[in-house]
Amino acid sequence: MADLVVRSRRTITPGGAVPAAVVVAGERIAAIRPYDAEVTAAVDVDLGDTVLAPGLVDTHVHVNEPGRTEWEGFATATRAAAAGGVTTIIDMPLNSLPPTVDVAALRIKQAAATGQCHVDVGFWGGAIPGNAADLPALHAAGVFGFKAFLADSGVPEFPPVDREQLATAMAAADALFVIHAEDPERLRVAASSAAYADFLSSRPAAAEHAAVATAVAAARAADRRVHILHLSAASALPLIERARADGVRITAETCPHYLTLDARLIPDGATEFKCCPPIRDAPNADRLWAALADGLITCVVSDHSPCTPELKRRDTGDFAAAWGGIASVQLGLPVIWTAARARGFALADVVSWMATRPADLAGLPHKGRIAPGADADLVAFDPDATFLVDPYALHHRNPVTPYAGRTLHGVVRTTWLRGRPVTGAERHGRLLAREER
């Protein structure tokens, strides 16, 4: 007898949206049967026309615990993730204290996460000046790859690497390197100002373009996989396309805020919109959408980077002084679906961008897809329902989001993690390690 069967006339499988009954035995999908198939199961859920999608995989989340748990923590971040249909996150190595730059720090972070997680959680390691010798052991301990900043990270304990240091790190570990790509020589110190345009001008698209070129050169020289994080500037896309054509193993992601928000509409003093790299204008977003459509950008992830309300400096509205980060792990799916449906994309496209491809990036073949053998991470999603974003109704720790007051399409009705519904009453998320390939 199966443990669970979930039926939907709109089940998003690798072959598209089909009527199906997804049969779960233990923690994995045992079979995909016709929608009305007779299946003996302990629990039989019929969603009717509500969509059944795979749980999303968000490979870019800043949990910040331990050390800055007042910004965010594993309990709150993973509860928000589950409420947004995300069943796997990979935590970034910085903003926690200590940062994940050696095995000892990884063990501290894993200990902090143990017993707190509502979804499955993996970890990135960090590449900083002077820790190249620590990278092989950290990779062997299970991190999914190494994040490096080419510009100031915003926290002193995670300094950026220069070209030589990036080359040294890549030579030390045969791993995936994920890069915050802004060139410090093309950034300028932003003057105190409540005008978003002043902040935007301090971080021009040319800084991203130059940093992507640095990452490409390093990956080519070392023959390493490289992934460009949170691509904001569409001007860098041709460089990525040429590098890929030349055989460089390069991929890129973008984020909901770069695809759906318009720099020209950000009010003065609205520091909840500040992030680095910055939100640019609508024509730039159009080019990012086109790159998603043709596969040049492979993933859409949150870059969930929250902080306390005080650090956002809404009291002064000073973009220069405010912490840069967008809190959106719970909202990514409806934000992207609202915009994608208006552009003529199907929900299967969104699932590819936000579930399957991020899982593939991280090397998690059992995540991000409804297929026999995959983990039974499932989401009941009503794509036609709407809701108004109330920051105080969200599960992440602090009620700050640039999407406040927006009406979005798409409501998550139920999230199952490995066949068990996530309700918030108990925490059955696991800590993940990189799988050898």
Side-chain angles (χ1 to χ4, degrees):
M1 184 176 72
D3 296 298
L4 170 70
V5 59
V6 185
R7 307 172 190 270
S8 169
R9 296 186 184 90
R10 303 164 73 186
T11 301
I12 309 297
T13 70
V18 298
V22 177
V23 182
V24 177
E27 298 184 336
R28 295 204 168 180
I29 296 171
I32 299 175
R33 304 284 303 279
Y35 170 74
D36 56 358
E38 291 189 11
V39 179
T40 302
V43 178
D44 193 321
V45 178
D46 191 341
L47 299 177
D49 289 329
T50 297
V51 168
L52 182 64
L56 304 188
V57 177
D58 193 339
T59 54
H60 196 148
V61 177
H62 294 265
V63 177
N64 304 339
E65 186 177 8
R68 293 188 174 97
T69 311
E70 70 275 14
W71 295 18
E72 187 66 282
F74 285 102
T76 50
T78 59
R79 182 68 188 97
V86 177
T87 51
T88 302
I89 67 169
I90 303 186
D91 173 60
M92 283 294 168
L94 72 157
N95 299 345
S96 56
L97 294 170
T100 314
V101 295
D102 55 33
V103 174
L106 174 65
R107 299 305 182 215
I108 291 170
K109 180 166 282 193
Q110 289 171 327
T114 298
Q116 292 211 66
C117 299
H118 296 273
V119 303
D120 289 350
V121 177
F123 303 93
W124 295 108
I128 62 172
N131 83 324
D134 294 305
L135 300 187
L138 187 52
H139 201 230
V143 299
F144 285 82
F146 297 103
K147 180 174 188 176
F149 274 77
L150 300 184
D152 180 23
S153 73
V155 290
E157 66 275 2
F158 202 97
V161 294
D162 60 23
R163 291 175 178 84
E164 290 185 2
Q165 291 161 339
L166 180 60
T168 299
M170 286 187 172
D174 185 4
L176 171 62
F177 283 80
V178 298
I179 307 297
H180 180 118
E182 289 184 288
D183 189 318
E185 295 179 3
R186 288 166 173 79
L187 302 177
R188 65 174 179 81
V189 177
S192 295
S193 174
Y196 182 78
D198 291 338
F199 166 67
L200 178 60
S201 68
S202 74
R203 304 187 89 95
E208 285 190 75
H209 189 280
V212 169
T214 297
V216 166
R220 179 182 282 116
D223 189 23
R224 293 289 186 253
R225 290 174 63 209
V226 66
H227 180 72
I228 304 302
L229 298 169
H230 46 44
L231 184 71
S232 159
S235 61
L237 289 167
L239 177 59
I240 295 170
E241 185 173 30
R242 289 194 298 272
R244 190 177 296 178
D246 289 343
V248 177
R249 294 181 291 165
I250 184 170
T251 51
E253 69 187 34
T254 193
C255 305
H257 38 282
Y258 301 130
L259 292 165
T260 65
L261 302 177
D262 186 346
R264 297 172 298 187
L265 302 180
I266 295 176
D268 287 352
T271 51
E272 64 270 25
F273 289 84
K274 180 181 176 179
C275 56
C276 300
I279 295 161
R280 305 192 190 277
D281 60 22
N284 180 82
D286 290 339
R287 293 177 63 192
L288 297 178
W289 280 103
L292 266 178
D294 65 21
L296 186 56
I297 295 175
T298 56
C299 307
V300 179
V301 293
S302 69
D303 188 12
H304 179 73
S305 185
C307 66
T308 61
E310 293 77 17
L311 288 174
K312 274 298 186 183
R313 299 307 302 268
R314 285 305 306 271
D315 55 337
T316 63
D318 183 358
F319 278 96
W323 173 259
I326 302 290
S328 63
V329 69
Q330 185 172 337
L331 296 173
L333 176 57
V335 166
I336 289 298
W337 173 236
T338 299
R341 63 185 283 162
R343 291 174 178 264
F345 292 102
L347 192 52
D349 297 315
V350 175
V351 166
S352 176
W353 303 330
M354 303 187 76
T356 312
R357 289 180 182 174
D360 291 345
L361 172 74
L364 291 170
H366 299 303
K367 297 291 188 183
R369 67 208 79 216
I370 295 179
D375 286 355
D377 298 343
L378 304 168
V379 178
F381 182 67
D382 187 341
D384 300 315
T386 62
F387 69 101
L388 187 71
V389 177
D390 174 4
Y392 290 90
L394 300 175
H395 290 283
H396 65 250
R397 185 173 296 276
N398 293 297
V400 179
T401 174
Y403 302 106
R406 288 178 176 251
T407 297
L408 300 177
H409 285 268
V411 173
V412 172
R413 301 298 187 190
T414 306
T415 299
W416 291 268
L417 177 67
R418 288 178 278 103
R420 296 171 62 185
V422 182
T423 64
E426 57 182 15
R427 302 166 185 179
H428 56 277
R430 289 181 178 167
L431 305 189
L432 303 176
R434 178 182 54 85
E435 299 178 17
E436 293 290 347
R437 288 187 287 174

